[in-house]
Amino acid sequence: MSEQDEYYYDLATGQVERGKVSGWTRRMGPYPTAEAAREAMARARARNEQWDAEDAAWREEQGRGR
């Protein structure tokens, strides 16, 4: 797969880019399709929420709370 066949999500603009258009500090990827890149933030947000819930449950089990 060439660099031009990869898609990235630009964190600053919220746009999908084909290839490495933006600097590495503001892009997520690579993704195999534009659709996958478009969904990147939603997937990351959902994972973070899940991990936060798991952490809170673990702390609660340990009697630590937040």
Side-chain angles (χ1 to χ4, degrees):
M1 181 181 280
S2 77
E3 184 179 306
Q4 286 303 310
D5 293 330
E6 298 174 332
Y7 295 86
Y8 296 84
Y9 180 84
D10 185 316
L11 295 164
T13 66
Q15 299 297 310
V16 172
E17 301 173 341
R18 187 172 187 175
K20 294 178 180 175
V21 177
S22 300
W24 67 271
T25 59
R26 59 182 251 191
R27 71 175 181 251
M28 291 174 64
Y31 299 96
T33 65
E35 184 63 26
R38 206 174 347 274
E39 296 170 354
M41 281 304 293
R43 282 193 314 274
R45 191 173 297 112
R47 278 190 225 126
N48 286 342
E49 289 171 1
Q50 178 184 356
W51 292 335
D52 286 346
E54 290 171 3
D55 285 348
W58 182 84
R59 284 189 186 94
E60 201 58 41
E61 284 179 13
Q62 303 302 310
R64 296 179 183 166
R66 262 198 180 225

